[in-house]
Structures are given as C-alpha cells and as structure tokens.
Amino acid sequence: MQENFLHFIWKFKYFQQTSLSTQRQETLTIKSTGLHNHNAGPDFLNASIAINDIDWYGHIEIHKNASDWKKHKHDNNPAYKNVILHVVWTYDYDIVREDDTIVPTLLLTPLVDHKLIEKFDHLFLEGNTIKCQQLLVDVPRIKRVSMLDRVLFERVERKASDILSLLKNLDRNWEECTYQILTEYFGFKVNNDAFKRLSTLIPLRLLKLHAHIPFQNEALLFGASGLIDQNTITDEYTQKLVREFKFLSHKYNLKGKEMSKVEWNYLRLRPANFPSIRIAQLAAIVTNIPHLCSSFLHINSPDIFYRLMKIPTSSYWHSHYLFNKESTKVIPKYIGKASLQSLLINVIIPLQFAYGLDKELESYTEKAISLLDQIPKENNKITRQWTALGLKNNSSLDSQALLELYNNYCSKSRCLECGMGHHLLTKKNEHMNISS
C-alpha cells in the first residue's frame, strides 16, 4: 500500500462514509477532508470533523502505518500540534499529545472497496513508464484534452515563475533578466550551466557599454569563458582578443574570475553547436539588439523572431569553429531554425507569460500561448510514444503538454494526480458510497 494512494482515497472520499468511528470507538463524521498540502507539514490542512458530536477544526495526517508518525519524527514538530485526526492503513501506535490526550485515529482498511485496491495495483504498479498506456483508449477525449491543457499551463507557469524569481533577485531589471535567461539557453541543454555562469560574470550592463565596439564584447565574453588557450595562440584575431580582455579585465576587476575550459562540454556536439560558435552568436545578438526585453515582448510570430535573430557572427567565425583552427569552408554562422524554435519555447514564451503575470496583462499571456501554437511540433522519443497511443501532436502547444505529462507525471508515477489516471482508477466503481 502506497501512501499517495491513501492520500487519493482520503482526498476524494473513496471510502465508506457512514457509521464511522475512531479506534477508541468514538463516533466520527467527516465534514471536510481539508486542503491537500504538497509542502512540509500535515498532509491535509484546515479539515473539519465531528467526534462524539463535537466539532473539531485542524489538520489531517495520513500514514501507511500509525507508527510512521514516530518514525517521521512528528512528535517534536510543532507543525503537527494541530492534527485532529490520524488516518492510517495499519493501526499499531497511539499518538499522545503533550497534555496526555490521544490523537483520534481512523483505520481505513475495512472502509475501502477491495476492487479499488486491485485496480490500483493492476493499473499503476506495472513496469511501463506510461502505466496506463494499454487503457488510455478508454479515457474520454474531453478528459484527455482537459489534462493536457492543465499540464501545459503548469509547464508555462513554472517557467514563468522561475523568471519572476530571477527578476526579483535582479532588483526587477527586466533587461538583465532577459539577457540571463537568453544566455543560459544558448547552452541548448548541454552547456546551460556554463552559459548561465558566463551571464553572471559578464552582465548585460557591461556589454551595453561596449556595444559601439563589437570586438570588445567578444573579448569580454570569450575572455571570461576561459575557452582561449593562451599557450596555443597562432592567429592575429585570438591574440588581439587576449590583449583586449587583459585591458578590460583590469578595468572591470575580472582578473581571476574567469571560467575554466573544463566547464564547457564539446562531447558529441556538432560543430555548429560548439560553445565557441554560440558565444560568438550571443555577442552578435546582444550587440545588435539594443533592447532585448522589449524586442522579445513584441514577438507575435515565429517569422518575426527569425528575422530579428538573423545576425551573423563576426567574420573570423565564418571560417572557424574553434580558435586557431581554420575550416575549409567559409560560411556565415547564423543561428539555425531548430535552435531558434528552442529559444522561442524556452525563452520568449515564458518571458511573455511572466511579463503578463507580473503586469496583470492577459494580452501577453494569451500572446505567449498563441505563439506556442504557431511553432512546429517537436518530434522526439517522448512525443512519438504519445502519438502512438492516439494523442495528437500538431504543434509545439501539443508537444509541450505531452512532454510535461510524461516528465512530471508519468515518470514520477503521479498517476493519482493525473485526470486520466483518476478516471481509469475510479470508473465502474459508481456502486461505492462516494460523496463530494
């Protein structure tokens, strides 16, 4: 028996409601199960019950074994002083308060329909990550759509919340916040941490001071990145970068704060994704787009973003992927379309949504969702699993919902919190005495 299943039973009252009594034979009436608490503290807050016709208001704690109370060290935790009912599957322990009174205990075991337990075991204890994949066809379309809508907004809101937290830490500087988010995602997962650190070493305000001399911005970013190996410098461009950074690092007190080359990952990356190329592209973007935040907030179609970001690197990188190693082909290094779509999904849309939440402007949150629906669908292992099971994937709006459902529900076995899992578990159990 899993504790999250007991939470599910309690929350939705999937247990016998009549003739209840505590383990000490006190009559018990459940008036309100309380609010499910996903943070530290009792499992359900602000519940309402009656014991021997006396009303009690407080919290509910649920355990598989009553003795888990002691095992989890709730005895000395003040957060549990207002627990008015202990709900358990196995009764093996009495909780004694400081005043020597006993916290009432409700034993669920005889109150739950065994068919519900069997169905839970059958549905959710199998090996597949998508545990309901064999039965997904039995979920009504409206419930599937409702759940996918829910997880989509959870995903966008979570990313927006991260942005608003960063904004707060940056004294509500939207430009610096936008720059840091953009820079982090220039790592395209493999080098996100390294790019995030680079954005804190070289803030946007510093780059803006040198926007009129693009080479100085390259020197700042490349110098701070630690990617230049000064022992193997052979070309004039790299020598000049080192000299320029030496001057700027002294001016801005950057000496000794540079990153190490080992912080950057080149393994299994295509040359177009090398950190050196991405830094050169970032330097070009922040130099040529003077107001990042306002520019990104005005994006209402992918094509507008593609045009805005069509900025080539400096000429050195047309013939290089790494320092001191000239390539045979001379090609301007623009950010590819797939990478731009990734930036739209991970930077522009969360930024617009966060701005809309912060300013209480629905036009921005709506624009963010509309923009997501205009981006082509993502085609990967996870989305293909869902489409094979009959779920649609027509745009990134669908893809993001499918990814969130898989990563934040299926892979974490949160089936009981999923609308589709809830439906599969409780259908054909209408004969149970269930009250809302």
Side-chain angles (χ1 to χ4, degrees), residues 176 179 183 198-199 201-222 248 252 282-288 292:
E176 192 68 42
Y179 162 71
T183 303
L198 181 61
S199 73
L201 286 174
I202 307 297
L204 182 62
R205 58 176 175 77
L206 203 57
L207 296 172
K208 282 190 171 184
L209 291 174
H210 297 273
H212 61 295
I213 308 177
F215 182 79
Q216 290 184 335
N217 278 347
E218 288 191 23
L220 282 167
L221 289 168
F222 277 118
L248 293 171
Y252 296 116
L282 176 66
I285 295 298
V286 297
T287 300
N288 286 278
L292 279 176

PDB file of all heavy atoms in Angstrom, residues 176 179 183 198-199 201-222 248 252 282-288 292:
ATOM      1  N   GLU A 176      18.237  42.915 -17.777  1.00  0.00           N
ATOM      2  CA  GLU A 176      19.252  41.983 -17.286  1.00  0.00           C
ATOM      3  C   GLU A 176      18.672  40.583 -17.132  1.00  0.00           C
ATOM      4  O   GLU A 176      19.328  39.576 -17.431  1.00  0.00           O
ATOM      5  CB  GLU A 176      19.794  42.475 -15.938  1.00  0.00           C
ATOM      6  CG  GLU A 176      21.043  41.757 -15.472  1.00  0.00           C
ATOM      7  CD  GLU A 176      22.251  42.053 -16.342  1.00  0.00           C
ATOM      8  OE1 GLU A 176      22.454  43.225 -16.743  1.00  0.00           O
ATOM      9  OE2 GLU A 176      22.995  41.096 -16.647  1.00  0.00           O
ATOM     10  N   TYR A 179      18.422  38.988 -20.563  1.00  0.00           N
ATOM     11  CA  TYR A 179      19.768  38.602 -21.015  1.00  0.00           C
ATOM     12  C   TYR A 179      20.225  37.303 -20.345  1.00  0.00           C
ATOM     13  O   TYR A 179      20.762  36.402 -21.004  1.00  0.00           O
ATOM     14  CB  TYR A 179      20.741  39.744 -20.717  1.00  0.00           C
ATOM     15  CG  TYR A 179      22.195  39.345 -20.725  1.00  0.00           C
ATOM     16  CD1 TYR A 179      22.856  39.031 -21.918  1.00  0.00           C
ATOM     17  CD2 TYR A 179      22.921  39.289 -19.529  1.00  0.00           C
ATOM     18  CE1 TYR A 179      24.193  38.662 -21.918  1.00  0.00           C
ATOM     19  CE2 TYR A 179      24.261  38.923 -19.526  1.00  0.00           C
ATOM     20  CZ  TYR A 179      24.895  38.609 -20.720  1.00  0.00           C
ATOM     21  OH  TYR A 179      26.219  38.252 -20.711  1.00  0.00           O
ATOM     22  N   THR A 183      20.948  33.917 -22.350  1.00  0.00           N
ATOM     23  CA  THR A 183      22.307  33.376 -22.320  1.00  0.00           C
ATOM     24  C   THR A 183      22.314  31.939 -21.809  1.00  0.00           C
ATOM     25  O   THR A 183      22.987  31.064 -22.374  1.00  0.00           O
ATOM     26  CB  THR A 183      23.214  34.257 -21.444  1.00  0.00           C
ATOM     27  OG1 THR A 183      23.190  35.596 -21.945  1.00  0.00           O
ATOM     28  CG2 THR A 183      24.647  33.740 -21.457  1.00  0.00           C
ATOM     29  N   LEU A 198      28.422  32.298 -17.219  1.00  0.00           N
ATOM     30  CA  LEU A 198      29.015  33.363 -18.035  1.00  0.00           C
ATOM     31  C   LEU A 198      28.179  34.635 -17.960  1.00  0.00           C
ATOM     32  O   LEU A 198      28.716  35.743 -17.882  1.00  0.00           O
ATOM     33  CB  LEU A 198      29.137  32.890 -19.489  1.00  0.00           C
ATOM     34  CG  LEU A 198      29.762  33.878 -20.481  1.00  0.00           C
ATOM     35  CD1 LEU A 198      31.194  34.232 -20.078  1.00  0.00           C
ATOM     36  CD2 LEU A 198      29.735  33.301 -21.896  1.00  0.00           C
ATOM     37  N   SER A 199      26.846  34.481 -17.931  1.00  0.00           N
ATOM     38  CA  SER A 199      25.970  35.666 -17.893  1.00  0.00           C
ATOM     39  C   SER A 199      26.088  36.426 -16.582  1.00  0.00           C
ATOM     40  O   SER A 199      25.813  37.630 -16.531  1.00  0.00           O
ATOM     41  CB  SER A 199      24.510  35.246 -18.118  1.00  0.00           C
ATOM     42  OG  SER A 199      23.978  34.581 -16.980  1.00  0.00           O
ATOM     43  N   LEU A 201      29.010  36.510 -14.843  1.00  0.00           N
ATOM     44  CA  LEU A 201      30.356  37.110 -14.867  1.00  0.00           C
ATOM     45  C   LEU A 201      30.384  38.371 -15.724  1.00  0.00           C
ATOM     46  O   LEU A 201      31.020  39.365 -15.363  1.00  0.00           O
ATOM     47  CB  LEU A 201      31.370  36.103 -15.408  1.00  0.00           C
ATOM     48  CG  LEU A 201      31.772  34.945 -14.491  1.00  0.00           C
ATOM     49  CD1 LEU A 201      32.662  33.966 -15.237  1.00  0.00           C
ATOM     50  CD2 LEU A 201      32.489  35.474 -13.258  1.00  0.00           C
ATOM     51  N   ILE A 202      29.689  38.302 -16.860  1.00  0.00           N
ATOM     52  CA  ILE A 202      29.643  39.449 -17.784  1.00  0.00           C
ATOM     53  C   ILE A 202      28.189  39.894 -17.905  1.00  0.00           C
ATOM     54  O   ILE A 202      27.442  39.410 -18.760  1.00  0.00           O
ATOM     55  CB  ILE A 202      30.208  39.090 -19.174  1.00  0.00           C
ATOM     56  CG1 ILE A 202      31.597  38.472 -19.053  1.00  0.00           C
ATOM     57  CG2 ILE A 202      30.234  40.327 -20.070  1.00  0.00           C
ATOM     58  CD1 ILE A 202      32.654  39.403 -18.453  1.00  0.00           C
ATOM     59  N   PRO A 203      27.735  40.816 -17.069  1.00  0.00           N
ATOM     60  CA  PRO A 203      26.333  41.262 -17.113  1.00  0.00           C
ATOM     61  C   PRO A 203      26.054  42.098 -18.354  1.00  0.00           C
ATOM     62  O   PRO A 203      26.969  42.613 -19.013  1.00  0.00           O
ATOM     63  CB  PRO A 203      26.194  42.091 -15.834  1.00  0.00           C
ATOM     64  CG  PRO A 203      27.573  42.570 -15.537  1.00  0.00           C
ATOM     65  CD  PRO A 203      28.503  41.479 -16.006  1.00  0.00           C
ATOM     66  N   LEU A 204      24.776  42.235 -18.655  1.00  0.00           N
ATOM     67  CA  LEU A 204      24.368  42.977 -19.851  1.00  0.00           C
ATOM     68  C   LEU A 204      24.804  44.438 -19.791  1.00  0.00           C
ATOM     69  O   LEU A 204      25.191  45.013 -20.814  1.00  0.00           O
ATOM     70  CB  LEU A 204      22.846  42.890 -20.022  1.00  0.00           C
ATOM     71  CG  LEU A 204      22.273  43.577 -21.259  1.00  0.00           C
ATOM     72  CD1 LEU A 204      22.819  42.955 -22.534  1.00  0.00           C
ATOM     73  CD2 LEU A 204      20.744  43.511 -21.250  1.00  0.00           C
ATOM     74  N   ARG A 205      24.745  45.041 -18.615  1.00  0.00           N
ATOM     75  CA  ARG A 205      25.116  46.461 -18.499  1.00  0.00           C
ATOM     76  C   ARG A 205      26.543  46.690 -18.984  1.00  0.00           C
ATOM     77  O   ARG A 205      26.860  47.749 -19.559  1.00  0.00           O
ATOM     78  CB  ARG A 205      24.956  46.945 -17.061  1.00  0.00           C
ATOM     79  CG  ARG A 205      25.767  46.190 -16.040  1.00  0.00           C
ATOM     80  CD  ARG A 205      25.650  46.753 -14.632  1.00  0.00           C
ATOM     81  NE  ARG A 205      26.364  45.929 -13.671  1.00  0.00           N
ATOM     82  CZ  ARG A 205      27.663  45.932 -13.506  1.00  0.00           C
ATOM     83  NH1 ARG A 205      28.413  46.738 -14.264  1.00  0.00           N
ATOM     84  NH2 ARG A 205      28.243  45.163 -12.601  1.00  0.00           N
ATOM     85  N   LEU A 206      27.420  45.700 -18.768  1.00  0.00           N
ATOM     86  CA  LEU A 206      28.800  45.816 -19.214  1.00  0.00           C
ATOM     87  C   LEU A 206      28.879  45.722 -20.735  1.00  0.00           C
ATOM     88  O   LEU A 206      29.606  46.482 -21.384  1.00  0.00           O
ATOM     89  CB  LEU A 206      29.628  44.694 -18.580  1.00  0.00           C
ATOM     90  CG  LEU A 206      31.138  44.904 -18.461  1.00  0.00           C
ATOM     91  CD1 LEU A 206      31.442  46.163 -17.677  1.00  0.00           C
ATOM     92  CD2 LEU A 206      31.786  43.703 -17.796  1.00  0.00           C
ATOM     93  N   LEU A 207      28.124  44.816 -21.308  1.00  0.00           N
ATOM     94  CA  LEU A 207      28.123  44.658 -22.760  1.00  0.00           C
ATOM     95  C   LEU A 207      27.523  45.877 -23.455  1.00  0.00           C
ATOM     96  O   LEU A 207      27.955  46.250 -24.547  1.00  0.00           O
ATOM     97  CB  LEU A 207      27.349  43.391 -23.135  1.00  0.00           C
ATOM     98  CG  LEU A 207      27.949  42.066 -22.645  1.00  0.00           C
ATOM     99  CD1 LEU A 207      27.002  40.909 -22.914  1.00  0.00           C
ATOM    100  CD2 LEU A 207      29.306  41.815 -23.285  1.00  0.00           C
ATOM    101  N   LYS A 208      26.551  46.496 -22.818  1.00  0.00           N
ATOM    102  CA  LYS A 208      25.929  47.686 -23.419  1.00  0.00           C
ATOM    103  C   LYS A 208      26.920  48.845 -23.499  1.00  0.00           C
ATOM    104  O   LYS A 208      26.855  49.669 -24.422  1.00  0.00           O
ATOM    105  CB  LYS A 208      24.700  48.099 -22.615  1.00  0.00           C
ATOM    106  CG  LYS A 208      23.470  47.248 -22.892  1.00  0.00           C
ATOM    107  CD  LYS A 208      22.225  47.842 -22.255  1.00  0.00           C
ATOM    108  CE  LYS A 208      20.978  47.110 -22.724  1.00  0.00           C
ATOM    109  NZ  LYS A 208      19.729  47.719 -22.203  1.00  0.00           N
ATOM    110  N   LEU A 209      27.828  48.905 -22.535  1.00  0.00           N
ATOM    111  CA  LEU A 209      28.834  49.973 -22.549  1.00  0.00           C
ATOM    112  C   LEU A 209      29.747  49.868 -23.759  1.00  0.00           C
ATOM    113  O   LEU A 209      30.344  50.865 -24.193  1.00  0.00           O
ATOM    114  CB  LEU A 209      29.666  49.919 -21.267  1.00  0.00           C
ATOM    115  CG  LEU A 209      28.967  50.285 -19.956  1.00  0.00           C
ATOM    116  CD1 LEU A 209      29.893  50.043 -18.774  1.00  0.00           C
ATOM    117  CD2 LEU A 209      28.506  51.740 -19.988  1.00  0.00           C
ATOM    118  N   HIS A 210      29.858  48.657 -24.311  1.00  0.00           N
ATOM    119  CA  HIS A 210      30.796  48.427 -25.415  1.00  0.00           C
ATOM    120  C   HIS A 210      30.088  48.033 -26.716  1.00  0.00           C
ATOM    121  O   HIS A 210      30.733  47.528 -27.632  1.00  0.00           O
ATOM    122  CB  HIS A 210      31.801  47.343 -25.014  1.00  0.00           C
ATOM    123  CG  HIS A 210      32.644  47.732 -23.844  1.00  0.00           C
ATOM    124  ND1 HIS A 210      33.813  48.444 -23.956  1.00  0.00           N
ATOM    125  CD2 HIS A 210      32.452  47.529 -22.507  1.00  0.00           C
ATOM    126  CE1 HIS A 210      34.322  48.661 -22.751  1.00  0.00           C
ATOM    127  NE2 HIS A 210      33.522  48.115 -21.854  1.00  0.00           N
ATOM    128  N   ALA A 211      28.787  48.284 -26.783  1.00  0.00           N
ATOM    129  CA  ALA A 211      28.018  47.895 -27.973  1.00  0.00           C
ATOM    130  C   ALA A 211      28.514  48.604 -29.222  1.00  0.00           C
ATOM    131  O   ALA A 211      28.366  48.098 -30.337  1.00  0.00           O
ATOM    132  CB  ALA A 211      26.539  48.174 -27.756  1.00  0.00           C
ATOM    133  N   HIS A 212      29.125  49.769 -29.057  1.00  0.00           N
ATOM    134  CA  HIS A 212      29.625  50.520 -30.218  1.00  0.00           C
ATOM    135  C   HIS A 212      30.933  49.932 -30.752  1.00  0.00           C
ATOM    136  O   HIS A 212      31.392  50.294 -31.839  1.00  0.00           O
ATOM    137  CB  HIS A 212      29.813  51.998 -29.862  1.00  0.00           C
ATOM    138  CG  HIS A 212      30.806  52.232 -28.756  1.00  0.00           C
ATOM    139  ND1 HIS A 212      30.606  51.792 -27.474  1.00  0.00           N
ATOM    140  CD2 HIS A 212      32.031  52.848 -28.767  1.00  0.00           C
ATOM    141  CE1 HIS A 212      31.645  52.137 -26.718  1.00  0.00           C
ATOM    142  NE2 HIS A 212      32.514  52.766 -27.483  1.00  0.00           N
ATOM    143  N   ILE A 213      31.547  49.053 -29.967  1.00  0.00           N
ATOM    144  CA  ILE A 213      32.766  48.359 -30.419  1.00  0.00           C
ATOM    145  C   ILE A 213      32.529  46.863 -30.223  1.00  0.00           C
ATOM    146  O   ILE A 213      32.904  46.285 -29.187  1.00  0.00           O
ATOM    147  CB  ILE A 213      34.012  48.826 -29.630  1.00  0.00           C
ATOM    148  CG1 ILE A 213      34.116  50.354 -29.662  1.00  0.00           C
ATOM    149  CG2 ILE A 213      35.283  48.184 -30.211  1.00  0.00           C
ATOM    150  CD1 ILE A 213      35.284  50.898 -28.850  1.00  0.00           C
ATOM    151  N   PRO A 214      31.892  46.208 -31.177  1.00  0.00           N
ATOM    152  CA  PRO A 214      31.516  44.789 -31.028  1.00  0.00           C
ATOM    153  C   PRO A 214      32.662  43.873 -30.626  1.00  0.00           C
ATOM    154  O   PRO A 214      32.459  42.920 -29.873  1.00  0.00           O
ATOM    155  CB  PRO A 214      30.973  44.427 -32.414  1.00  0.00           C
ATOM    156  CG  PRO A 214      30.479  45.724 -32.975  1.00  0.00           C
ATOM    157  CD  PRO A 214      31.438  46.759 -32.471  1.00  0.00           C
ATOM    158  N   PHE A 215      33.871  44.176 -31.102  1.00  0.00           N
ATOM    159  CA  PHE A 215      35.008  43.306 -30.780  1.00  0.00           C
ATOM    160  C   PHE A 215      35.260  43.261 -29.270  1.00  0.00           C
ATOM    161  O   PHE A 215      35.665  42.227 -28.730  1.00  0.00           O
ATOM    162  CB  PHE A 215      36.272  43.783 -31.506  1.00  0.00           C
ATOM    163  CG  PHE A 215      37.467  42.906 -31.247  1.00  0.00           C
ATOM    164  CD1 PHE A 215      37.616  41.696 -31.911  1.00  0.00           C
ATOM    165  CD2 PHE A 215      38.423  43.285 -30.314  1.00  0.00           C
ATOM    166  CE1 PHE A 215      38.705  40.880 -31.658  1.00  0.00           C
ATOM    167  CE2 PHE A 215      39.517  42.464 -30.054  1.00  0.00           C
ATOM    168  CZ  PHE A 215      39.663  41.266 -30.729  1.00  0.00           C
ATOM    169  N   GLN A 216      35.001  44.361 -28.583  1.00  0.00           N
ATOM    170  CA  GLN A 216      35.221  44.391 -27.138  1.00  0.00           C
ATOM    171  C   GLN A 216      34.227  43.480 -26.410  1.00  0.00           C
ATOM    172  O   GLN A 216      34.564  42.865 -25.390  1.00  0.00           O
ATOM    173  CB  GLN A 216      35.117  45.823 -26.612  1.00  0.00           C
ATOM    174  CG  GLN A 216      36.280  46.701 -27.060  1.00  0.00           C
ATOM    175  CD  GLN A 216      36.224  48.086 -26.465  1.00  0.00           C
ATOM    176  OE1 GLN A 216      35.165  48.584 -26.089  1.00  0.00           O
ATOM    177  NE2 GLN A 216      37.388  48.729 -26.371  1.00  0.00           N
ATOM    178  N   ASN A 217      33.012  43.391 -26.928  1.00  0.00           N
ATOM    179  CA  ASN A 217      32.046  42.465 -26.336  1.00  0.00           C
ATOM    180  C   ASN A 217      32.477  41.013 -26.528  1.00  0.00           C
ATOM    181  O   ASN A 217      32.315  40.177 -25.646  1.00  0.00           O
ATOM    182  CB  ASN A 217      30.656  42.687 -26.922  1.00  0.00           C
ATOM    183  CG  ASN A 217      29.937  43.850 -26.253  1.00  0.00           C
ATOM    184  OD1 ASN A 217      30.368  44.323 -25.210  1.00  0.00           O
ATOM    185  ND2 ASN A 217      28.849  44.308 -26.846  1.00  0.00           N
ATOM    186  N   GLU A 218      33.033  40.715 -27.710  1.00  0.00           N
ATOM    187  CA  GLU A 218      33.573  39.373 -27.931  1.00  0.00           C
ATOM    188  C   GLU A 218      34.723  39.092 -26.966  1.00  0.00           C
ATOM    189  O   GLU A 218      34.825  37.991 -26.400  1.00  0.00           O
ATOM    190  CB  GLU A 218      34.057  39.224 -29.379  1.00  0.00           C
ATOM    191  CG  GLU A 218      32.933  39.137 -30.393  1.00  0.00           C
ATOM    192  CD  GLU A 218      33.430  38.712 -31.773  1.00  0.00           C
ATOM    193  OE1 GLU A 218      34.507  38.093 -31.856  1.00  0.00           O
ATOM    194  OE2 GLU A 218      32.726  38.985 -32.753  1.00  0.00           O
ATOM    195  N   ALA A 219      35.555  40.090 -26.767  1.00  0.00           N
ATOM    196  CA  ALA A 219      36.691  39.921 -25.855  1.00  0.00           C
ATOM    197  C   ALA A 219      36.212  39.658 -24.435  1.00  0.00           C
ATOM    198  O   ALA A 219      36.761  38.796 -23.731  1.00  0.00           O
ATOM    199  CB  ALA A 219      37.582  41.160 -25.903  1.00  0.00           C
ATOM    200  N   LEU A 220      35.203  40.383 -23.994  1.00  0.00           N
ATOM    201  CA  LEU A 220      34.665  40.198 -22.651  1.00  0.00           C
ATOM    202  C   LEU A 220      34.108  38.780 -22.470  1.00  0.00           C
ATOM    203  O   LEU A 220      34.400  38.098 -21.488  1.00  0.00           O
ATOM    204  CB  LEU A 220      33.581  41.237 -22.367  1.00  0.00           C
ATOM    205  CG  LEU A 220      34.053  42.648 -22.014  1.00  0.00           C
ATOM    206  CD1 LEU A 220      32.895  43.638 -22.085  1.00  0.00           C
ATOM    207  CD2 LEU A 220      34.694  42.669 -20.622  1.00  0.00           C
ATOM    208  N   LEU A 221      33.290  38.353 -23.428  1.00  0.00           N
ATOM    209  CA  LEU A 221      32.640  37.051 -23.310  1.00  0.00           C
ATOM    210  C   LEU A 221      33.633  35.896 -23.477  1.00  0.00           C
ATOM    211  O   LEU A 221      33.630  34.945 -22.684  1.00  0.00           O
ATOM    212  CB  LEU A 221      31.504  36.938 -24.324  1.00  0.00           C
ATOM    213  CG  LEU A 221      30.273  37.814 -24.029  1.00  0.00           C
ATOM    214  CD1 LEU A 221      29.330  37.854 -25.220  1.00  0.00           C
ATOM    215  CD2 LEU A 221      29.532  37.296 -22.793  1.00  0.00           C
ATOM    216  N   PHE A 222      34.470  35.980 -24.502  1.00  0.00           N
ATOM    217  CA  PHE A 222      35.427  34.893 -24.713  1.00  0.00           C
ATOM    218  C   PHE A 222      36.490  34.863 -23.617  1.00  0.00           C
ATOM    219  O   PHE A 222      36.895  33.793 -23.161  1.00  0.00           O
ATOM    220  CB  PHE A 222      36.082  35.018 -26.087  1.00  0.00           C
ATOM    221  CG  PHE A 222      35.265  34.444 -27.199  1.00  0.00           C
ATOM    222  CD1 PHE A 222      34.807  35.241 -28.234  1.00  0.00           C
ATOM    223  CD2 PHE A 222      34.953  33.092 -27.213  1.00  0.00           C
ATOM    224  CE1 PHE A 222      34.045  34.706 -29.268  1.00  0.00           C
ATOM    225  CE2 PHE A 222      34.198  32.549 -28.244  1.00  0.00           C
ATOM    226  CZ  PHE A 222      33.739  33.362 -29.269  1.00  0.00           C
ATOM    227  N   LEU A 248      40.441  44.979 -20.454  1.00  0.00           N
ATOM    228  CA  LEU A 248      39.095  45.109 -19.901  1.00  0.00           C
ATOM    229  C   LEU A 248      38.953  44.422 -18.539  1.00  0.00           C
ATOM    230  O   LEU A 248      38.226  44.898 -17.665  1.00  0.00           O
ATOM    231  CB  LEU A 248      38.070  44.535 -20.888  1.00  0.00           C
ATOM    232  CG  LEU A 248      37.917  45.300 -22.201  1.00  0.00           C
ATOM    233  CD1 LEU A 248      37.045  44.505 -23.185  1.00  0.00           C
ATOM    234  CD2 LEU A 248      37.299  46.684 -21.960  1.00  0.00           C
ATOM    235  N   TYR A 252      37.587  46.282 -15.243  1.00  0.00           N
ATOM    236  CA  TYR A 252      36.354  45.883 -14.552  1.00  0.00           C
ATOM    237  C   TYR A 252      36.593  44.846 -13.446  1.00  0.00           C
ATOM    238  O   TYR A 252      35.650  44.195 -12.994  1.00  0.00           O
ATOM    239  CB  TYR A 252      35.360  45.328 -15.582  1.00  0.00           C
ATOM    240  CG  TYR A 252      34.919  46.354 -16.581  1.00  0.00           C
ATOM    241  CD1 TYR A 252      35.221  46.218 -17.938  1.00  0.00           C
ATOM    242  CD2 TYR A 252      34.207  47.491 -16.184  1.00  0.00           C
ATOM    243  CE1 TYR A 252      34.818  47.168 -18.862  1.00  0.00           C
ATOM    244  CE2 TYR A 252      33.808  48.455 -17.107  1.00  0.00           C
ATOM    245  CZ  TYR A 252      34.119  48.285 -18.442  1.00  0.00           C
ATOM    246  OH  TYR A 252      33.708  49.229 -19.362  1.00  0.00           O
ATOM    247  N   LEU A 282      26.028  34.862 -29.521  1.00  0.00           N
ATOM    248  CA  LEU A 282      25.474  35.639 -28.415  1.00  0.00           C
ATOM    249  C   LEU A 282      26.031  37.057 -28.422  1.00  0.00           C
ATOM    250  O   LEU A 282      25.283  38.030 -28.235  1.00  0.00           O
ATOM    251  CB  LEU A 282      25.803  34.955 -27.085  1.00  0.00           C
ATOM    252  CG  LEU A 282      25.365  35.690 -25.817  1.00  0.00           C
ATOM    253  CD1 LEU A 282      23.843  35.752 -25.736  1.00  0.00           C
ATOM    254  CD2 LEU A 282      25.928  35.024 -24.578  1.00  0.00           C
ATOM    255  N   ALA A 283      27.320  37.183 -28.642  1.00  0.00           N
ATOM    256  CA  ALA A 283      27.946  38.507 -28.696  1.00  0.00           C
ATOM    257  C   ALA A 283      27.315  39.368 -29.786  1.00  0.00           C
ATOM    258  O   ALA A 283      27.053  40.561 -29.584  1.00  0.00           O
ATOM    259  CB  ALA A 283      29.455  38.367 -28.930  1.00  0.00           C
ATOM    260  N   ALA A 284      27.063  38.754 -30.930  1.00  0.00           N
ATOM    261  CA  ALA A 284      26.446  39.490 -32.042  1.00  0.00           C
ATOM    262  C   ALA A 284      25.019  39.919 -31.704  1.00  0.00           C
ATOM    263  O   ALA A 284      24.596  41.047 -32.006  1.00  0.00           O
ATOM    264  CB  ALA A 284      26.460  38.625 -33.302  1.00  0.00           C
ATOM    265  N   ILE A 285      24.260  39.031 -31.052  1.00  0.00           N
ATOM    266  CA  ILE A 285      22.867  39.322 -30.709  1.00  0.00           C
ATOM    267  C   ILE A 285      22.776  40.476 -29.721  1.00  0.00           C
ATOM    268  O   ILE A 285      22.040  41.448 -29.943  1.00  0.00           O
ATOM    269  CB  ILE A 285      22.174  38.065 -30.118  1.00  0.00           C
ATOM    270  CG1 ILE A 285      22.087  36.952 -31.159  1.00  0.00           C
ATOM    271  CG2 ILE A 285      20.788  38.408 -29.571  1.00  0.00           C
ATOM    272  CD1 ILE A 285      21.277  37.262 -32.372  1.00  0.00           C
ATOM    273  N   VAL A 286      23.515  40.387 -28.605  1.00  0.00           N
ATOM    274  CA  VAL A 286      23.391  41.420 -27.571  1.00  0.00           C
ATOM    275  C   VAL A 286      23.972  42.749 -28.035  1.00  0.00           C
ATOM    276  O   VAL A 286      23.597  43.809 -27.522  1.00  0.00           O
ATOM    277  CB  VAL A 286      24.048  40.972 -26.244  1.00  0.00           C
ATOM    278  CG1 VAL A 286      23.333  39.752 -25.686  1.00  0.00           C
ATOM    279  CG2 VAL A 286      25.528  40.713 -26.414  1.00  0.00           C
ATOM    280  N   THR A 287      24.880  42.710 -29.008  1.00  0.00           N
ATOM    281  CA  THR A 287      25.452  43.946 -29.541  1.00  0.00           C
ATOM    282  C   THR A 287      24.497  44.625 -30.506  1.00  0.00           C
ATOM    283  O   THR A 287      24.390  45.861 -30.546  1.00  0.00           O
ATOM    284  CB  THR A 287      26.791  43.657 -30.244  1.00  0.00           C
ATOM    285  OG1 THR A 287      27.701  43.090 -29.315  1.00  0.00           O
ATOM    286  CG2 THR A 287      27.391  44.932 -30.818  1.00  0.00           C
ATOM    287  N   ASN A 288      23.750  43.824 -31.283  1.00  0.00           N
ATOM    288  CA  ASN A 288      22.908  44.383 -32.350  1.00  0.00           C
ATOM    289  C   ASN A 288      21.444  44.583 -31.957  1.00  0.00           C
ATOM    290  O   ASN A 288      20.697  45.220 -32.702  1.00  0.00           O
ATOM    291  CB  ASN A 288      22.979  43.482 -33.584  1.00  0.00           C
ATOM    292  CG  ASN A 288      24.307  43.624 -34.317  1.00  0.00           C
ATOM    293  OD1 ASN A 288      24.491  44.538 -35.099  1.00  0.00           O
ATOM    294  ND2 ASN A 288      25.248  42.730 -34.027  1.00  0.00           N
ATOM    295  N   LEU A 292      16.728  44.121 -25.516  1.00  0.00           N
ATOM    296  CA  LEU A 292      16.348  42.723 -25.629  1.00  0.00           C
ATOM    297  C   LEU A 292      14.927  42.470 -25.148  1.00  0.00           C
ATOM    298  O   LEU A 292      14.133  41.838 -25.835  1.00  0.00           O
ATOM    299  CB  LEU A 292      17.304  41.850 -24.812  1.00  0.00           C
ATOM    300  CG  LEU A 292      18.643  41.479 -25.419  1.00  0.00           C
ATOM    301  CD1 LEU A 292      19.462  40.696 -24.414  1.00  0.00           C
ATOM    302  CD2 LEU A 292      18.454  40.669 -26.693  1.00  0.00           C
TER     303      LEU A 292
END
